[in-house]
Every structure is written in structure tokens, then in C-alpha cells.
């Protein structure tokens, strides 16, 4: 999998390191050339020097060859703009980090559905850990060799009832619809906007990402 990260914040570097450890290709777009030189000595990643909000800069990363763009600068506005520009130049998936609740609503209004909200994610992880004890996080309870995968259903998913055509070994766990959670055994229908949670073998994860990217590109 090839992923572009806009920004070289500490979170961006940690994300890049995690992706690289899992064998993925990472491209980091950063304005600060000194920061690029510093990271180039310790990260096995490609770098593009420039403003990640500029279409010409993002096109240098070959969006058509990438699975996703993640915007992880320190500024919410920059992240939202980078995601919008990324979407316009052809990235199949764009995931901006947004911390400000007001700007989170704006991002959702302009169609950015895959938002990264670190404070909320960390807060939920802390509460889950306190309530459930060590190892209570969902990812930590998954047996070796399996991964969780989530996506937002499109109209095409709803029309084709995508849960009936999952690859072998992929199991639906839950459907999150608005404020409610529906078990796949309780419904035969998938609605546009539903968030689907799947459990799948780890070696099928990249295939599922590619499949979803192709479907999203049609929308």
C-alpha cells in the first residue's frame, strides 16, 4: 500500500513509522526542508518538499498510485484544505486530522467523512482501558493473523447489498447507523452512510483496501 502523509508533525512521523514497519510505502509532503533532511536520515520514506495544500505539489506524489492521503499537520484548516485538494487531484481516500469541533462539522459538511480526531480517540481508549482492564481495546482482543476493517457504505453498496458478496474469510461484525448499532444478523439491508465493521484475515487487508478504493473512486 502506498500512502501520502501531509505534514511532518510527531503524529505524522509516528504514523509513517507504523506504516513502514508493516511494509507499506510512505511519501511525506513537508514545507520545511530542514525537517525533511532530519527525517530522511531515520525514515525509509520518500519526501516531497512543498506546500501540501497545492494541487501541483500533491500531483507530484502520483495520486493514482496511492491508496490514501492523510493530512497530519498541526493546523486543522491546513488539514481540511489538503484533504479537499487531495480529493480533487484523484486520491481515492483522504483522511484529515481535525481537533476543533467547529471545524469538524465544517469538514463533514463538505463531504470529508473519514476524519481523524486524536483527542476523542485517545479519550475513548483510556475509558475503555479503565472500564475493561488491561487489553480492553478492540485491536488488542483480535487474535494474531486477523485485522479489523471499517468503511462507509455507498449507494452502490446499498444497491448490491455488499455484505452478501464479501470475500471468503471476511466476516461482518456490526453496522453503525446514526447513533445506533445493528448486528448483521438483525438486518438484510445496508443503507448509504452506514459504517460497516468487518473482521478479516490480515493477509486480505490490503486487498480489501484496494477494493474499497476502486469502489469509492466510482462515486
Amino acid at each position: 500500500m502506498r500512502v501520502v502523509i501531509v505534514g511532518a508533525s510527531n503524529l505524522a512521523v509516528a504514523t509513517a513509522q507504523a506504516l513502514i514497519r508493516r511494509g507499506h510505502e510512505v511519501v511525506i509532503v513537508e514545507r520545511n526542508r530542514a525537517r525533511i533532511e532530519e527525517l530522511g536520515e531515520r525514515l525509509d520514506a520518500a519526501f516531497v518538499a512543498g506546500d501540501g495544500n497545492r494541487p501541483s505539489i500533491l500531483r507530484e506524489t502520483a495520486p493514482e498510485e496511492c491508496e490514501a492521503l492523510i493530512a497530519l499537520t498541526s493546523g486543522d484548516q491546513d488539514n481540511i484544505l489538503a484533504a479537499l485538494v487531495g480529493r480533487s487531484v484523484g486520491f481515492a481516500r483522504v483522511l484529515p486530522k481535525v481537533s476543533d469541533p467547529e471545524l469538524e462539522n465544517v469538514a463533514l459538511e463538505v463531504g470529508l467523512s473519514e476524519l481523524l480526531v486524536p483527542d476523542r480517540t485517545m479519550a475513548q481508549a483510556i475509558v475503555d482501558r479503565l472500564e475493561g482492564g488491561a487489553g480492553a481495546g478492540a485491536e488488542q482482543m483480535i487474535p494474531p493473523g486477523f485485522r479489523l476493517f471499517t468503511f462507509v457504505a455507498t449507494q452502490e453498496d446499498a444497491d448490491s447489498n455488499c455484505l452478501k458478496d464479501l470475500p471468503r474469510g471476511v466476516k461482518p461484525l456490526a453496522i453503525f447507523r446514526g447513533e445506533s448499532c445493528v448486528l448483521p444478523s438483525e438486518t438484510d439491508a445496508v443503507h448509504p452512510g452506514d459504517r460497516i465493521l468487518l473482521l478479516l484475515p490480515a493477509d486480505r487487508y490490503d486487498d480489501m483496501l484496494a477494493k474499497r478504493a476502486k469502489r469509492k473512486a466510482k462515486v
Side-chain angles (χ1 to χ4, degrees):
M1 180 168 68
R2 178 181 167 95
V3 176
V4 171
I5 298 176
V6 176
S9 63
N10 289 338
L11 177 58
V13 172
T15 302
Q17 290 171 327
L19 286 165
I20 292 166
R21 281 196 299 269
R22 291 193 176 185
H24 300 303
E25 183 180 354
V26 174
V27 180
I28 295 176
V29 179
E30 168 59 32
R31 300 170 181 169
N32 188 326
R33 292 181 180 273
R35 179 66 165 159
I36 289 176
E37 290 179 10
E38 174 202 343
L39 294 176
E41 296 178 359
R42 56 190 177 99
L43 278 184
D44 184 17
F47 294 88
V48 173
D51 185 346
N53 294 338
R54 306 293 297 178
S56 59
I57 296 296
L58 291 186
R59 287 193 183 100
E60 290 184 30
T61 67
E64 67 283 356
E65 299 175 8
C66 300
E67 274 68 35
L69 176 143
I70 311 174
L72 297 176
T73 75
S74 57
D76 286 356
Q77 292 100 324
D78 283 341
N79 292 334
I80 291 171
L81 182 54
L84 291 172
V85 174
R87 188 172 65 183
S88 74
V89 300
F91 282 93
R93 297 178 68 196
V94 291
L95 297 85
K97 177 178 76 70
V98 181
S99 299
D100 186 326
E102 286 188 62
L103 292 179
E104 182 182 347
N105 290 332
V106 171
L108 291 171
E109 288 172 3
V110 296
L112 298 174
S113 59
E114 294 191 89
L115 302 183
L116 306 174
V117 188
D119 288 349
R120 183 185 304 158
T121 301
M122 180 57 72
Q124 188 61 56
I126 293 170
V127 173
D128 288 346
R129 178 65 61 87
L130 289 172
E131 291 182 341
E139 288 286 357
Q140 294 173 318
M141 293 188 288
I142 302 301
F146 288 87
R147 299 276 304 275
L148 292 176
F149 186 93
T150 183
F151 66 92
V152 177
T154 64
Q155 183 63 56
E156 183 180 352
D157 291 322
D159 293 342
S160 63
N161 200 347
C162 62
L163 295 187
K164 291 187 176 180
D165 188 32
L166 292 172
R168 195 155 130 203
V170 179
K171 306 295 183 184
L173 296 182
I175 301 170
F176 298 98
R177 183 172 296 156
E179 298 296 321
S180 64
C181 176
V182 182
L183 295 177
S185 60
E186 297 175 341
T187 181
D188 291 328
V190 171
H191 299 171
D194 284 355
R195 181 167 288 278
I196 313 297
L197 179 64
L198 306 175
L199 177 68
L200 68 164
D203 60 3
R204 291 183 178 268
Y205 190 85
D206 285 352
D207 291 340
M208 182 61 73
L209 266 181
K211 180 179 180 180
R212 294 306 311 172
K214 286 180 182 177
R215 175 157 289 194
K216 195 164 185 177
K218 296 179 183 177
V219 177

